[in-house]
Amino acid sequence: MTCKHTKLIFEPSPHAEIIGYQRHTAQKRAAAAVSATIRKDFSDENDILNSTFPGPLVLPDDALSIDPRCPPQSLRSWLRLKDRNEVTSDKNVIYIAAPPDMDSDVKFMQSWTHPQIKSKSLPVPKPRIADVIDYLTAFYHGLQVKILPPPKLCFTSWDAGTAPKRSKSKSSKPTIPSYIGLNTHTECVRIRSRPSSDDIFPAQLNLDDLLDAAMGILPEDAYALLLLVNHDLYEDDDDAFVCGRAYGGSRVAVISTARYNPLLDDIQNVEREHSWPASHCESYMRACCETTDPSSSRPKKKFKLQKVDPDHSKSPPQPSTSPILQALSAHTALPAFDTSSSPTTLSGLWLGRVCRTASHELGHCFGMEHCVYYACVMQSTSNLGEDARQPPYLCPVDLAKMLHSTRSTAEARYQALLAFCDQHEDVHLFAAFAAWIRAHLTIEYPQLSS
């Protein structure tokens, strides 16, 4: 049955106490969002603020459940970072490198972008690069976001004879070459490749090698560069997969669109119904805390689940003007995801996932570390299910860092994001984000709300 999401929880789940996560007090959270030159009344957060920026969920298998003592990064500590790169007048552009082309001698790599699953559903169109650029332009309002100019990157053969060959047996799979070349038109970079460990895709490319290649193509006026790839990625030998990573100090990031394909949701335990903002649903939280079925989509660390006292958590008041409640209303107003969802609907779901991860990884290029204060787009994620539960917004602490870098204002940035979301009002994530922004503007900037 479809969940009604009748009650939301704005504090970490009961599981958080079991594993030792202690959320910072309201006073410490407020202090973390201001610099030493700004004075602020550190009074307790009210219900409206709590339901605008709820606490991290901290469900079993979540990143904070695995590392509950992940150190915080306040605005003051961020400002003191020696390795942080400032935006300057000659380095103020975010470049997006589109997925590389493939030379004729490595056309077999095209099959590596298609999941090896049996599905009666129609193929889902990949996210448009132009839409990703438009979203990041709004998210990083105040900076230019551009496509990396030609010539375009291109995968090629690393050396003669690396093309896969089939044996005489009809059932055998093609051999995966150990290396693929990435032609940047100034050099050819060696990219390691391997068969996928879980067989969801035929092969994977090495993330570290792609990040090294990205560093070599960083334009002189670039503040940061994000390389998008359609291939599945791995980082370490024991990885099942990784979706992306940033070398923050080097101002480069790489993300893969592959695992965000909605056709993989069932086999990767990604629950669409309780994606953000429905992720704060109390009944869903309790079900997650009480189950012992580990996520098969976990790329790295493992965690043993524990029993939870079902009466531990209490629900705080939920004001009718709550941005999260407004976001949830917009989320549930759209047709629920089911087996009959159209390719266009699923393509919007895919786009939202890619945009959220792209904004997160680029955040590391600005020196932002993983957030532990709030449910925030800069939170770490340990699996694809958790990724779907993360919000698209920046919490007050990370927003302060962003605005310091971009020299924009919160009001102008929210208006830019709202304009983008309104152009994609049939996409669940963006419809919910638009409702969240409008409610937040009504509370914080009533003169700008519409």
Side-chain angles (χ1 to χ4, degrees), residues 27-34 42 73-76 373 397 400-401:
Q27 182 175 359
K28 288 183 177 179
R29 294 196 297 269
V34 299
F42 299 132
Q73 185 195 49
S74 67
L75 174 61
R76 295 183 189 184
Y373 296 105
V397 180
K401 301 169 190 174

Side-chain angles (χ1 to χ4, degrees), residues 7 14 67 77 174 187 209 213 223 273 275 292 332 341 347 381 384 394 396 412 420:
K7 184 182 289 187
D67 185 14
S77 60
E187 62 177 335
D209 294 345
Y223 176 77
E273 184 180 12
S275 58
T292 57
T332 55
S341 294
S347 182
T381 59
L384 291 169
L394 286 167
F420 174 90

Side-chain angles (χ1 to χ4, degrees), residues 305-376:
L305 307 187
Q306 302 181 45
K307 296 282 186 175
V308 178
D309 177 2
D311 297 324
H312 179 82
S313 180
K314 295 182 180 180
S315 177
Q318 300 178 22
S320 60
T321 53
S322 158
I324 291 294
L325 285 179
Q326 295 299 315
L328 180 61
S329 295
H331 172 83
T332 55
L334 292 174
F337 292 113
D338 53 34
T339 55
S340 62
S341 294
S342 70
T344 300
T345 297
L346 295 180
S347 182
L349 180 63
W350 198 350
L351 171 65
R353 293 170 175 177
V354 170
C355 287
R356 183 166 44 199
T357 298
S359 61
H360 172 100
E361 295 301 343
L362 281 170
H364 290 313
C365 294
F366 285 81
M368 287 189 278
E369 297 176 0
H370 287 141
C371 183
V372 301
Y373 296 105
Y374 298 90
C376 171

Side-chain angles (χ1 to χ4, degrees), residues 210-287:
L210 289 168
L211 283 164
D212 288 341
M215 290 193 312
I217 60 172
L218 194 65
E220 289 187 2
D221 63 340
Y223 176 77
L225 181 144
L226 171 68
L227 169 60
L228 298 173
V229 294
N230 291 329
H231 290 81
D232 199 26
L233 304 178
Y234 76 99
E235 191 170 13
D236 301 324
D237 290 341
D238 59 350
D239 285 336
F241 65 91
V242 288
C243 292
R245 190 78 72 223
Y247 287 169
S250 299
R251 297 175 289 126
V252 295
V254 173
I255 70 167
S256 165
T257 65
R259 296 277 171 161
Y260 293 129
N261 186 336
L263 297 182
L264 299 175
D265 286 356
D266 285 343
I267 60 177
Q268 296 185 138
N269 294 332
V270 178
E271 217 233 81
R272 299 172 184 168
E273 184 180 12
H274 286 97
S275 58
W276 183 85
S279 50
H280 291 278
C281 171
E282 183 189 41
S283 60
Y284 172 67
M285 270 191 179
R286 292 195 184 281

